[in-house]
């Protein structure tokens, strides 16, 4: 079994309170997983005991850093036998966030240009690959050290946010923001008429002069998960795993002081 987490999870209200704001500590963290179905709740259809699955757990309930987790069947998709659990666990949040941000919220079309922030990061590397595969021109951004990694994920060009002028990028159709703040505001100003700012770091603080600003929280979607994992199998999509750790080391991994590069996967069982 493999579990995964997003580093900002400790800051989410849903980690500490349930839907009616009752304290739900001690909370079990982790909201994505790959594993095997061990039991089915009454009325569950579409899954069977022993089946390999991966997916996204409820934000407001105990999560996936445990040997067993109760999940709604609709939040899981079959994990093909040739995709290992570590890869499966790394895909749901970053893959679905990129997919939904690009195609549902950003309405990205072939031939358009997109500014993909944090292109070497977990979400950004998926955004970069999926946008390129959709026929878009991708300008990746990040720290100076991320240039080659972002280009390897398929960015057509790279903007080093620490040293380059973002404004030199010119006009783009879509901005995919994973950073917020001043970078989000300056990026919104680059959006062409009719374009979209998509952000995943909370309510949009900026808006294009003549376009849409969309913020959203990723949702589970079995068909999208299946499409994402199929692309991984085909070699069209590469996951971005930085560190694989054990459950015993999970606390230290959450509190890591060094820079994270890609997804962190916690192996619950060897
Ligand atoms: N709304 C949703 O549904 C949703 C879903 C998934 C993720 N998120 C959020 O999206 C954000 C990104 O998640 P992630 O998992 O992709 O994180 P990640 O793997 O850390 O990727 C973010 C990337 O952006 C870079 N970056 C951040 N600030 C930067 C700056 N000022 N200048 C240059 N580069 C910068 C990071 O570099 P450093 O590591 O050096 O900072 C990293 O490479 C998080 O806040 C997460 O909570 C939201």
């Amino acid at each position: 079994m493999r579990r995964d987490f997003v580093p900002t999870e400790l800051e989410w209200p849903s980690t500490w309170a349930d839907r009616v704001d009752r304290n739900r500590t001690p909370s079990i963290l982790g909201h994505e997983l790959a594993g095997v179905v061990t039991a089915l709740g009454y009325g569950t259809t579409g899954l069977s005991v022993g089946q390999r699955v991966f997916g996204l757990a409820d934000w407001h309930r105990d999560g996936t850093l445990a040997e067993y987790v109760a999940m709604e069947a609709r939040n899981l998709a079959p994990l093909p036998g040739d995709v290992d659990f570590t890869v499966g666990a790394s895909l749901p949040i970053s893959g679905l966030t990129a997919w939904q941000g690009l195609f549902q919220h950003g309405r990205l079309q072939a031939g358009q240009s997109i500014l993909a922030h944090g292109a070497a990061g977990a979400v950004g590397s998926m955004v970069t690959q999926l946008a390129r595969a959709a026929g878009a021109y991708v300008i990746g951004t990040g720290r100076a050290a991320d240039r080659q990694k972002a280009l390897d994920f398929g960015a057509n060009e790279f903007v080093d946010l620490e040293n380059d002028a973002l404004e030199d990028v010119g006009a783009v159709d879509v901005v995919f923001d994973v950073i917020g703040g001043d970078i989000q505001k300056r990026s919104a100003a680059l959006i062409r008429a009719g374009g979209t700012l998509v952000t995943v770091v909370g309510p949009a603080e900026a808006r294009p002069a003549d376009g849409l600003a969309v913020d959203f929280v990723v949702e589970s979607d079995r068909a999208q998960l299946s499409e994402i994992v199929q692309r991984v199998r085909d070699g069209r999509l590469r996951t971005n795993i930085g560190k694989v750790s054990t459950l015993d080391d999970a606390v230290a991994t959450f509190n890591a002081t060094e820079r994270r590069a890609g997804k962190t996967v916690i192996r619950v069982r060897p």
Side-chain angles (χ1 to χ4, degrees):
M1 230 160 269
R2 306 289 187 273
R3 318 300 200 191
D4 200 8
F5 70 87
V6 175
T8 48
E9 197 177 325
L10 293 174
E11 295 152 28
W12 304 343
S14 56
T15 298
W16 309 109
D18 68 12
R19 283 195 165 74
V20 289
D21 211 25
R22 280 183 308 228
N23 184 328
R24 69 175 190 84
T25 53
S27 314
I28 298 177
L29 300 169
H31 290 284
E32 53 198 329
L33 90 165
V36 173
V37 177
T38 53
L40 297 175
Y42 179 72
T44 302
T45 55
L47 294 176
S48 51
V49 172
Q51 186 170 2
R52 305 169 95 247
V53 290
F54 72 126
L56 191 62
D58 194 314
W59 308 114
H60 288 85
R61 294 178 51 196
D62 275 343
T64 56
L65 291 183
E67 285 187 289
Y68 297 95
V69 57
M71 284 180 62
E72 290 182 70
R74 63 179 172 172
N75 292 340
L76 295 166
L79 182 70
D82 56 358
V83 178
D84 76 40
F85 289 120
T86 304
V87 171
S90 73
L91 294 172
I93 293 183
S94 55
L96 290 173
T97 302
W99 189 281
Q100 291 165 16
L102 288 171
F103 305 125
Q104 290 174 215
H105 304 295
R107 294 160 300 130
L108 184 75
Q109 305 288 326
Q112 291 189 326
S113 58
I114 174 169
L115 187 59
H117 282 305
V123 174
S125 57
M126 288 286 163
V127 168
T128 298
Q129 294 177 86
L130 292 173
R132 265 307 286 277
Y137 184 85
V138 181
I139 303 152
T141 82
R143 303 196 190 274
D146 292 331
R147 177 181 298 274
Q148 195 52 49
K149 190 169 175 188
L151 296 174
D152 289 346
F153 276 114
N156 296 88
E157 54 181 279
F158 181 80
V159 177
D160 162 3
L161 292 174
E162 296 170 316
N163 299 298
D164 300 338
L166 184 57
E167 286 65 25
D168 288 349
V169 160
V172 295
D173 297 292
V174 176
V175 170
F176 200 122
D177 171 43
V178 299
I179 298 175
D182 186 51
I183 304 269
Q184 183 192 103
K185 289 188 188 126
R186 288 164 58 204
S187 304
L190 303 175
I191 296 174
R192 280 197 186 96
T196 308
L197 166 73
V198 177
T199 182
V200 293
V201 289
E205 299 168 79
R207 176 168 295 280
D210 181 10
L212 282 177
V214 184
D215 54 75
F216 75 102
V217 174
V218 60
E219 291 181 354
S220 195
D221 187 299
R222 189 180 285 178
Q224 290 171 5
L225 282 172
S226 296
E227 174 65 29
I228 288 162
V229 80
Q230 187 54 44
R231 289 180 184 224
V232 170
R233 294 175 84 199
D234 294 348
R236 284 182 289 158
L237 192 62
R238 196 155 51 83
T239 188
N240 182 2
I241 296 172
K243 185 176 168 68
V244 180
S245 173
T246 61
L247 190 57
D248 285 347
D249 291 334
V251 172
T253 305
F254 257 96
N255 294 325
T257 48
E258 79 272 19
R259 191 173 181 234
R260 297 169 203 273
K263 298 295 289 186
T264 304
V265 179
I266 309 277
R267 222 172 42 225
V268 173
R269 288 193 184 168

